[in-house]
């Protein structure tokens, strides 16, 4: 099968870890409508797959994701309906990542710009190889990165987000780590080992507990302090009734490894 005929997104699950690979390196893995629809479909299936406990979002080639496909957008200059549908589809995918009941780790190799940077910011965790670069450069072409701004401003400080959005300039991986856009920066040869060791560590936890914790994390972020404590206290009390919580506590007290049932 030729590269042009291949699916824009490759999916592979092994040992509880599902790798989603953006698979159009010849198009800089841009978020065309086809790519976004492929990601959305894959995420829907993963959400229902009990055999998948952690997701790694990776890319083929030397560019992680260059954002939206500007050529496709130019071809549809006269269609407001297409432009709106494109940005709505992109927003849907980013929210699917956040709402997915499994942790998502971005494996960043190369450049992540505009909606590609948004993709990294939307993941729960991110590991970048040294030499990777990030930007929200829409301001340079007259199209402010308004939707990427949503994920970016929820991950880095307000002033760092505004600097990226207003200047459109690239930042290196070390700066991205410093401002909280990525968790770790590693040498290129250590990227896969670091990402998949992290994924394996998480996959070894109770899937039910991870689901509860991820949902609670994002919900409490938007709450006032007192409401957040009230909400999370109720979450923990409910969590205590789960089989895995009771098994985990018993295993800890009995000094043995837990036998997770993922419920």
């Amino acid at each position: 099968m030729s590269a042009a005929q291949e699916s824009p997104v490759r999916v592979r699950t092994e040992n509880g870890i599902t790798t989603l690979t953006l698979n159009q390196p010849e198009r800089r893995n841009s978020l065309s409508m086809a790519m976004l629809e492929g990601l959305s479909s894959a995420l829907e299936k993963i959400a229902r797959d009990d055999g998948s406990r952690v997701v790694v979002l990776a890319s083929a080639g030397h560019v992680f994701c260059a954002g939206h496909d500007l050529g496709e957008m130019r071809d549809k200059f006269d269609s407001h309906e297409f432009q709106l549908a494109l940005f709505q589809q992109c927003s849907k995918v980013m929210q699917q990542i956040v709402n997915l009941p499994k942790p998502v780790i971005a494996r960043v190799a190369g450049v992540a710009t505009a909606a590609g940077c948004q993709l990294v910011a939307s993941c729960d965790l991110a590991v970048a190889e040294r030499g990777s670069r990030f930007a929200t450069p829409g301001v340079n072409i007259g199209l402010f990165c308004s939707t990427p701004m949503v994920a970016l401003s929820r991950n880095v400080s307000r002033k760092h987000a505004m600097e990226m959005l207003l200047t459109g300039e690239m930042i290196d991986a070390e700066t991205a780590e410093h401002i909280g856009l990525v968790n770790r920066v590693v040498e290129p040869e250590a990227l896969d080992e670091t990402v998949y060791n992290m994924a394996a560590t998480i996959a070894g936890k109770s899937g039910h507990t991870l689901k509860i914790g991820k949902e609670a994390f994002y919900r409490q972020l938007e709450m006032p302090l007192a409401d957040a404590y009230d909400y999370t206290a109720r979450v923990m009390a409910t969590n205590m009734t789960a089989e895995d919580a009771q098994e985990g506590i018993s295993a800890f007290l009995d000094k043995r490894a837990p036998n997770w049932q993922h419920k």
Side-chain angles (χ1 to χ4, degrees):
M1 182 180 289
S2 70
Q5 294 173 314
E6 287 183 6
S7 169
V9 181
R10 290 203 312 260
V11 183
R12 185 190 79 234
T13 299
E14 187 175 356
N15 299 322
I17 301 168
T18 298
T19 301
L20 288 181
T21 303
L22 307 183
N23 191 36
Q24 291 188 321
E26 72 285 354
R27 299 176 67 175
R28 298 168 62 84
N29 295 315
S30 60
L31 296 181
S32 63
M33 184 65 88
M35 177 72 84
L36 288 167
E37 289 174 346
L39 278 170
S40 182
S41 176
L43 289 166
E44 286 177 4
K45 292 175 183 176
I46 291 167
R48 301 189 298 268
D49 183 3
D50 292 338
S52 173
R53 294 192 294 280
V54 182
V55 176
V56 171
L57 183 60
S59 60
H62 302 295
V63 174
F64 177 75
C65 177
H68 288 295
D69 186 330
L70 296 181
E72 180 181 63
M73 294 170 70
R74 183 175 61 180
D75 289 343
K76 301 286 187 176
F77 269 166
D78 60 348
S79 176
H80 178 266
E81 291 78 11
F82 173 81
Q83 307 296 347
L84 180 58
L86 177 68
F87 293 122
Q88 287 177 333
Q89 181 67 31
C90 185
S91 298
K92 174 186 175 181
V93 167
M94 302 304 164
Q95 291 177 80
Q96 282 182 278
I97 291 171
V98 172
N99 295 326
L100 193 73
K102 301 122 193 280
V104 182
I105 305 170
R107 173 199 176 278
V108 186
V111 172
T113 55
C117 186
Q118 178 186 9
L119 197 56
V120 175
S122 296
C123 292
D124 305 301
L125 302 169
V127 180
E129 69 175 23
R130 201 172 307 281
S132 296
R133 295 184 297 160
F134 305 81
T136 48
V139 68
N140 296 330
I141 59 170
L143 182 65
F144 200 84
C145 283
S146 297
T147 48
M149 171 173 65
V150 175
L152 184 67
S153 64
R154 281 162 169 73
N155 278 262
V156 308
S157 73
R158 186 173 299 181
K159 284 184 170 57
H160 284 126
M162 285 298 287
E163 182 176 356
M164 290 184 68
L165 291 161
L166 293 173
T167 67
E169 294 178 348
M170 287 279 191
I171 62 171
D172 59 25
E174 289 76 14
T175 301
E177 181 183 28
H178 175 71
I179 67 175
L181 182 58
V182 304
N183 296 83
R184 302 183 193 177
V185 177
V186 299
E187 298 301 329
E189 59 270 20
L191 181 60
D192 281 334
E193 180 182 7
T194 303
V195 168
Y196 285 98
N197 280 348
M198 180 184 289
T201 296
I202 296 169
K205 316 300 181 187
S206 158
H208 182 67
T209 304
L210 293 174
K211 175 183 176 180
I212 290 171
K214 177 173 173 176
E215 179 183 3
F217 178 84
Y218 288 110
R219 288 190 64 182
Q220 63 84 27
L221 278 178
E222 307 303 320
M223 296 179 182
L225 184 65
D227 292 346
Y229 272 115
D230 179 65
Y231 164 67
T232 52
R234 286 184 280 109
V235 168
M236 290 199 74
T238 302
N239 192 170
M240 275 294 297
T241 67
E243 288 185 26
D244 279 354
Q246 295 176 9
E247 164 64 11
I249 291 169
S250 296
F252 178 81
L253 293 173
D254 296 342
K255 297 182 172 56
R256 60 176 174 83
N259 180 23
W260 304 126
Q261 299 302 308
H262 304 291
K263 58 185 180 178

